Amino acid sequence: MERQFRKIKVIWPLSGVFLVMGASLLVAQAQDRFDDKRAALELRKTTGAHTRFLWTHQLSPQSEMQAQDGLELWVLDSDDGKGARKIGESASYHRPLFTADGNRIVWTNHPQRNMHVINFDGSGTRTLGKGQMGDVWRDHETGIDWVYYRDLAEGKLKREEHIYEGGKVWRLQLDNPEIKELVWDKTPICHGTLFYLSLTDDGKYGASAFPWAGNGIAAFPNGAYQKIHFGCWSGLSPDNSGRFFSFDGDHRYLHLFDWGGVNSREIRLDVVPEYKSGDVYFPRWTNHPDFMVMSHGPRTYLAKFNQDCTAIESFTKVADASDQLPQKHWLGYPDCWIDPGPNFKVADTSNLKSLDAVAEVKGAWPGETEDLVFAWKNRAATNRVPTDNGNFLPIELEESGLARYGRQWQMHLRGGQFTPNNDEAARHIIAACQKAKAMTIELVVNPAIPRQDGTILVLEAPSGEAANLRVLQWLNRINIELPRSVVFDKGDKAGQAKVLFSLVMPKSGPAHVVFVYEKGRVDAYLNGEFQDSQSMGGFHKWEKDDFAAWTDEAKLIFGRRVDGSDPWQGQLEGVSIHARALARDEARARYQLYAQDLKDRTPAPQSSVTARLVSRSAVPSEQDMGIYSRALVTNEYEVLKVNQGEPVSGKILVQQYAVVDRKPLPIVSEWDIGKEYSLVLEPINDHPELEGERLFEDVDNLDAPVFFEVSSW
């Protein structure tokens, strides 16, 4: 079957064309009551083909994710002359999507955790079974429609009943739902009450979070995967080109990439007509590569990409309930089907470079994966280790307290901590090292204070027992403590772990450290150079039961002890653990793998200023935070004086952390309009790590220069 989208000639209406930030924006309606029949005609003109559109209509205010009951399903057909109308009964319509022919709609009733299908005309409603639908895909060779879904019964509930460790992904046949196939169980997938998934036209690749907030692409079924960006609502172009987008944390930008995460560009969505402030939601590619859908409050839009997919060329408003809905009501989850015509044809994905199963670049860190049981380079990397069953263990970290990511996506610690997002990483380390009776620990350390006392990493039980393992800074030294079976047996330190090795740090800059431990002996390396070898002679226990005394309940924590004590300040990256003692040439080679990433790093331009607060964004409530645990807000300042650093003047916008661990920071209470503040600022463009952070802004002067305030921590 040959399939090729017909060439579309876009016919614009004669009125309502605006030029905003270089994009030609189509205003589809006058500002009076919305004319849905006229919208259908303009939809036809925009796409040049028979087009169908759907959305959900809130009957009561609720979160944008709309997981609850109290929703209506609405549809619009460009060609039938009937205008917009409700189909089905009021219920929970979670992420409804068109089938490939546009004749049916599949959705999830989230409170019931059931999947359903309905015909476009409102007839034929039936239940497909338990689960949460992510996408609908047609096998063009067989004509079979498949529904891809997450098995919520296998998900683990975490804070506020959000599902952060989703179950396996399956697919079932839409017309024979008893026929099911496993699609993905290599990693947890997606987050919260939301399961977003989109497939290439040939079904070989899917975009989602593996898990959240690391959006990326996976080969189905159960193939390799690659993390590309942070945020939510990822999407894959339906033309098998491999183009991928991910939604920014400020819910105003798409970050769009070519295959493999290259050629990144930002696409603004807050230039939609009638945009004043607030978030944009629900971006999704349609079945045509030139178009996507989105919502902004009580309005839904069809957006057309320009030829190079570098910007939105036009917006067509398809539905508007602003004159009917009170504030905080949304039109949500839009989807659009465009008739591809009889000759629709796209190439398959065989011309795309295969995703590497272990690392993005051959020969890059973490390098040798034999007995590799933990690997976290930085947040931007696809951090994972192979397991015995042929799967991957993804290593994603969650930050708390005064911990955030640095400009190279490394851990940035000032009294907070990072922990793996589940306990599997710690269990994997413990089991493997107990079996091997050996380990190699690698880390890149950059202390914020040259001489301090603090825990860099610890593998420790919550009960407060002696740690299985601890790496710490003591004055200007990096120490590794012995596992629990080698302790002081006399004196006032009886029962405490002994220091295996004390490594003197360089005076400044990041240092690459490797400790190799086996049978009571430790070898230490600093920046690729062997330092010394020490033997704990006389501790015969280690030759009999190395690691046997480790507790299985230990948790892996970076930046402080498990009880929150002994905090460390600095930056940490490139952490790996092997369940074997690497040979000397291997240990030295670890530095060579990481040296290129440390080379030529330059600090961001910085300005220390005195500035007056002119206007401020509202600090989000806990309900506003949704699934996010921290958030920045944008505040407007007027610079009064540059105390040090790069020149900056006039009115500026400053992104500042306002919420940490879902609670407002104490400093927020001190933000008073008209008050003067000392701020240390860096240009926002020098902080790519903030792209996935939740951002709230409701200030007016959005054309002012934007900075990130780094003086808080």
Side-chain angles (χ1 to χ4, degrees), residues 28-67:
Q29 299 292 335
Q31 297 304 307
D32 52 1
R33 183 173 178 84
F34 190 75
D35 185 341
D36 55 297
K37 291 187 177 180
R38 182 182 169 191
L41 296 175
E42 290 173 348
L43 194 61
R44 184 57 143 95
K45 291 178 181 179
T46 300
T47 65
H50 180 203
T51 304
R52 286 175 167 175
F53 206 93
L54 67 80
W55 65 92
T56 58
H57 188 134
Q58 285 186 356
L59 299 180
S60 59
Q62 52 186 271
S63 72
E64 294 85 354
M65 294 300 99
Q66 305 188 78

Side-chain angles (χ1 to χ4, degrees), residues 35-258:
D35 185 341
D36 55 297
K37 291 187 177 180
R38 182 182 169 191
L41 296 175
E42 290 173 348
L43 194 61
R44 184 57 143 95
K45 291 178 181 179
T46 300
T47 65
H50 180 203
T51 304
R52 286 175 167 175
F53 206 93
L54 67 80
W55 65 92
T56 58
H57 188 134
Q58 285 186 356
L59 299 180
S60 59
Q62 52 186 271
S63 72
E64 294 85 354
M65 294 300 99
Q66 305 188 78
Q68 300 93 335
D69 287 323
L71 301 174
E72 294 177 341
L73 180 61
W74 283 69
V75 298
L76 179 68
D77 190 298
S78 66
D79 291 15
D80 65 9
K82 297 180 180 179
R85 67 269 191 191
K86 171 195 167 190
I87 63 172
E89 301 297 325
S90 298
S92 167
Y93 290 95
H94 186 76
R95 205 162 183 261
L97 299 176
F98 282 112
T99 54
D101 57 11
N103 291 328
R104 292 184 284 183
I105 299 167
V106 183
W107 79 93
T108 302
N109 183 310
H110 202 275
Q112 297 178 6
R113 299 190 176 184
N114 285 327
M115 297 176 291
H116 304 271
V117 62
I118 189 173
N119 293 330
F120 186 79
D121 63 7
S123 66
T125 302
R126 60 187 173 90
T127 301
L128 300 174
K130 291 288 185 181
Q132 185 180 24
M133 187 269 297
D135 202 4
V136 183
W137 174 77
R138 172 167 290 182
D139 186 330
H140 297 292
E141 294 184 0
T142 64
I144 295 174
D145 289 312
W146 292 89
V147 177
Y148 286 67
Y149 69 96
R150 180 170 67 172
D151 186 349
L152 293 181
E154 299 182 10
K156 298 179 182 179
L157 295 177
K158 297 183 79 172
R159 69 166 181 262
E160 295 190 344
E161 299 303 297
H162 288 301
I163 299 170
Y164 274 72
E165 298 174 32
K168 300 175 182 177
V169 177
W170 299 78
R171 69 177 189 176
L172 57 80
Q173 292 187 9
L174 180 60
D175 294 314
N176 296 287
E178 68 280 0
I179 299 177
K180 303 178 182 180
E181 297 177 358
L182 179 66
V183 174
W184 186 260
D185 66 353
K186 285 199 168 189
T187 71
I189 190 167
C190 225
H191 65 80
T193 57
L194 179 66
F195 176 33
Y196 50 82
L197 176 68
S198 64
L199 301 172
T200 51
D201 184 73
D202 63 7
K204 294 180 180 179
Y205 294 96
S208 189
F210 300 96
W212 186 76
N215 282 339
I217 299 173
F220 288 159
N222 268 340
Y225 75 101
Q226 179 186 5
K227 181 165 62 178
I228 297 176
H229 189 257
F230 298 92
C232 55
W233 295 96
S234 59
L236 271 174
S237 177
D239 61 356
N240 291 336
S241 66
R243 281 178 171 163
F244 165 93
F245 70 56
S246 177
F247 208 17
D248 205 326
D250 66 1
H251 285 215
R252 292 173 178 82
Y253 289 83
L254 289 179
H255 292 261
L256 198 144
F257 305 81
D258 291 336

Side-chain angles (χ1 to χ4, degrees), residues 21 268 653 700-706:
M21 299 194 70
R268 292 194 64 169
L653 299 180
D700 294 328
N701 187 15
L702 296 180
D703 294 327
V706 184

Side-chain angles (χ1 to χ4, degrees), residues 1-3 140 342 344-345:
M1 180 188 300
E2 286 196 350
R3 298 154 31 246
H140 297 292
F344 169 50
K345 182 176 69 174

